[in-house]
Amino acid sequence: DGTITVAFDEPGFTFTLSEYSIEWYRGTHTTVPAGGTANDDFIADDATAAGTNSGNANAGTAIIPAGGDVTQLEGLETGTYTVFITKDGVASPNEGCDAFATF
């Protein structure tokens, strides 16, 4: 059982986590998989309840931890995991900017 925690910020600006969408997927991805949250590899996002995952075919045992911190996944099985982060729902600076990382 492993855990991943991602940290990110926006230097020079007030950082507010609610201004970002975060999506976790099982496997190595360089773009959001076709089907997005309906894709078999989708695990969780900022709408996923604490202590749960999507229930999709490849989500496995990975969950958003108690407390609902979407910057973390716990209960990880062996394998790779990809997180996509997008700034959305706000005006500039950096609206629509995104990043991803695979672990």
Side-chain angles (χ1 to χ4, degrees):
D1 289 338
T3 301
I4 297 173
T5 302
V6 294
F8 59 99
D9 65 6
E10 196 168 0
F13 299 96
T14 302
F15 176 79
T16 305
L17 184 58
S18 63
E19 294 178 354
Y20 295 84
S21 293
I22 300 174
E23 294 182 355
W24 290 95
Y25 291 84
R26 185 115 189 234
T28 301
H29 300 280
T30 57
T31 60
V32 172
T37 59
N39 185 282
D40 284 350
D41 288 343
F42 175 71
I43 299 170
D45 64 10
D46 33 301
T48 304
T52 66
N53 67 28
S54 65
N56 292 11
N58 297 331
T61 59
I63 61 170
I64 299 297
D69 185 351
V70 73
T71 65
Q72 297 179 344
L73 272 187
E74 65 182 22
L76 305 181
E77 300 170 59
T78 300
T80 57
Y81 296 84
T82 301
V83 62
F84 292 93
I85 301 169
T86 304
K87 184 163 186 185
D88 59 7
V90 297
S92 290
N94 306 319
E95 179 179 13
C97 289
D98 57 6
F100 73 94
T102 298
F103 304 91

